């Protein structure tokens, strides 16, 4: 997987049509010379590089990185965070998971609960679910009238434009799994008592609306993939490949910032420790 | 001062040109039949009505009211809040004053420190200074390159559109005083030891840039007065008139929401307290 290849292949260009039925969730075409075992060394190298890049990011205290992760249930958001970021200093990376909004959150605009958690200088923040749930779930589950989620497309685009123009690099990733793969993963959660806590009977009612969710996601990604905040559709059926692609996109994006450790204001050779 | 008159006269329509040199800061044309003493009874009535309207707002728990107050130093922001809102239940009204941004705030987008304080359902929030300082001061004091404050016009317009479409009523008021009136008020602060804490020698350097600030304010009000978040230019040289106008605008705006106490889900006549 060469530098830039994953970004080029999986990035949704502004205005591009999205049809999940034509996107193979088990694609692993950028690593044709092997599978999970063969990719391990490459993945390890990417993780080392990510770790090194985060150090500079933190030291330079200038850029802000926001990663938005969305997927259907069992899509792999948690696993992806765990594997890709496991070597990065937790001091500079935080994960913010968004659950069902509270009554107080519903008493404010939908970005109110999100905005306080965006990254500051030198930070990486990962949104595990995000403001996009307040378009997607609101639409599919008809929580409010249609005018609400429709207006919110503009709100998120302008919100992200503001964040980007003020200095935030935004990467939005949709982890794309097939309906069959979701079946396998849900069954595996049911079969393993140690995974029961991850199973929620509500997931089944969402699964029953699979097609509605898929169409809503396609529309959402089409309308909100912009130059300043692009969406990536990452094939998610093979976990090793998904992790490889996410790590590659992260590394390539951070590299493109051309960061450097800040020059000290003093001369290191002139300092004596006595 | 009839219902609707103050809104009509002092509201800046979208696209309207603003030239402070043609706006009389000592205007009191909507109360021609007297001065401070004669207006007191009218003002008291308005305050009572505001108090009553806030009660319904709070009980109904549906609307959100955001008031943005901006002015040159000594323009009367504090006095205006104190007089107009003095009878309103403090439980449903809060004032958020924005000072010079901290280092952490500067490490985020300029709306990051503002957004958490917008009103929730049933609340009135008054911004004493606001996100507009991050356009105005940044421009006049050349804190960042010109591209920064120029981009922020769009950011605030879209931010306020989002708030409004999500259910917030926004009223922005610029308290307009003359340069002579500022001189009198600064001198009075200097002459009175009990007012020394309100005097800041930095105010003088801002006063030295009076014209720059005035032109920047004109441009800002022109470019950010929208249907969903209008600016009002309130004549500020006569404090009694300023308070009267602000109270009238508040009352008329709250009235226009046609609020009502929520109907209980139970029948009051059927409840016996034993």
């Amino acid at each position: 997987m060469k530098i830039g290849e994953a970004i080029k292949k999986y990035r949704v260009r502004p205005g591009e049509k999205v049809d999940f039925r034509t996107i193979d969730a088990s694609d692993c075409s950028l690593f044709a010379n092997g599978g999970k075992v063969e990719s391990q060394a490459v993945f390890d190298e990417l993780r080392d590089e990510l770790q090194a890049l985060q150090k500079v990011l933190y030291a330079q205290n200038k850029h802000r990185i926001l990663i938005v992760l969305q997927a259907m249930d069992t899509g792999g958001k948690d696993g992806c965070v765990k594997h890709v970021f496991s070597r990065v200093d937790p001091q500079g990376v935080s994960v913010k998971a968004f659950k069902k909004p509270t009554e107080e959150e519903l008493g404010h605009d939908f970005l109110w609960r999100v905005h306080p958690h965006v990254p500051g200088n030198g930070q990486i923040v990962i949104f595990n679910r995000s403001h996009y749930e307040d378009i997607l779930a609101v639409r599919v589950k008809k929580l409010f009238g249609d005018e609400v989620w429709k207006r919110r497309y503009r709100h998120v685009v302008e919100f992200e434009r503001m964040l980007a123009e003020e200095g935030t690099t935004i990467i939005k990733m949709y982890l794309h799994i097939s309906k069959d793969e979701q079946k396998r993963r849900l069954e595996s959660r049911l079969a393993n008592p140690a995974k029961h806590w991850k199973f929620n009977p509500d997931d089944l009612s969402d699964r029953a609306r699979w097609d509605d969710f898929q169409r809503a996601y396609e529309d959402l990604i089409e309308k909100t993939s912009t130059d300043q905040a692009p969406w990536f559709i990452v094939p998610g059926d093979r976990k090793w490949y998904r992790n490889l692609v996410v790590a590659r996109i992260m590394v390539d994006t951070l590299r493109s910032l051309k960061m450097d450790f800040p020059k000290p204001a003093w001369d290191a050779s002139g300092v004596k420790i006595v």
Side-chain angles (χ1 to χ4, degrees), chain A residues 115-131:
Chain A
H115 203 162
H117 302 285
V118 300
N121 283 345
Q123 296 174 344
I124 299 176
V125 173
I126 302 163
F127 281 0
N128 186 338
R129 303 188 189 268
S130 66
H131 42 301

Side-chain angles (χ1 to χ4, degrees), chain A residues 30-269:
Chain A
L30 295 183
F31 199 82
N33 51 334
K36 183 176 177 175
V37 175
E38 293 78 6
S39 71
Q40 194 58 52
V42 180
F43 184 58
D44 281 347
E45 255 180 66
L46 282 172
R47 289 203 293 188
D48 286 344
E49 193 174 347
L50 187 58
Q51 185 189 23
L53 284 162
Q54 186 275 332
K55 259 184 165 166
V56 190
L57 179 89
Y58 190 79
Q60 204 184 23
N61 196 38
K62 177 180 164 189
H63 297 281
R64 312 160 192 166
I65 314 294
L66 174 62
I67 298 153
V68 172
L69 278 184
Q70 289 283 157
M72 297 292 285
D73 294 316
T74 76
K77 298 185 303 296
D78 297 341
C80 179
V81 170
K82 187 168 71 184
H83 287 96
V84 174
F85 293 92
S86 58
R87 292 193 188 171
V88 174
D89 183 349
Q91 199 157 224
V93 178
S94 61
V95 181
K96 173 65 192 169
F98 293 96
K99 311 276 181 193
K100 228 171 133 173
T102 64
E103 202 176 331
E104 194 192 9
E105 288 167 348
L106 288 171
H108 290 82
D109 65 274
F110 77 111
L111 295 171
W112 182 76
R113 67 175 186 149
V114 171
H115 203 162
H117 302 285
V118 300
N121 283 345
Q123 296 174 344
I124 299 176
V125 173
I126 302 163
F127 281 0
N128 186 338
R129 303 188 189 268
S130 66
H131 42 301
Y132 284 99
E133 293 289 332
D134 300 296
I135 294 179
L136 201 80
V138 164
R139 176 178 184 171
V140 176
K141 299 181 182 177
K142 301 189 191 306
L143 302 178
F144 305 110
D146 283 352
E147 71 284 1
V148 173
W149 61 261
K150 283 183 182 168
R151 281 193 304 239
R152 288 180 176 177
Y153 281 145
R154 176 175 187 158
H155 301 159
V156 297
V157 166
E158 292 297 334
F159 175 60
E160 291 170 355
R161 178 199 307 282
M162 184 278 294
L163 292 178
E165 290 185 352
E166 290 272 309
T168 307
T169 299
I170 304 171
I171 305 170
K172 300 181 294 195
M173 307 211 231
Y174 174 75
L175 309 180
H176 172 49
I177 57 166
S178 63
K179 198 174 176 185
D180 286 347
E181 179 64 20
Q182 191 191 51
K183 184 165 186 272
R184 275 189 290 276
R185 292 186 187 178
L186 286 171
E187 283 169 349
S188 125
R189 283 185 185 177
L190 281 174
N192 182 350
K195 284 186 181 176
H196 279 181
W197 68 276
K198 291 203 95 178
F199 186 84
N200 179 347
D202 285 352
D203 294 353
L204 297 183
S205 64
D206 283 0
R207 178 170 169 81
R209 290 186 275 202
W210 178 271
D211 287 336
D212 291 344
F213 271 106
Q214 292 281 291
R215 298 298 86 74
Y217 257 124
E218 289 168 349
D219 191 46
L220 180 135
I221 292 173
E222 269 176 38
K223 295 221 168 64
T224 61
S225 198
T226 58
D227 285 328
Q228 66 271 10
W231 275 105
F232 296 86
I233 298 174
V234 178
D237 275 7
R238 307 191 197 214
K239 295 174 181 173
W240 65 269
Y241 188 73
R242 171 201 74 204
N243 293 342
L244 202 61
V245 168
V246 169
R248 184 78 260 176
I249 291 172
M250 282 302 305
V251 164
D252 291 354
T253 304
L254 289 176
R255 273 188 181 186
S256 72
L257 299 176
K258 304 201 180 307
M259 302 178 293
D260 209 347
F261 286 104
K263 289 233 180 324
W266 39 268
D267 176 8
S269 71

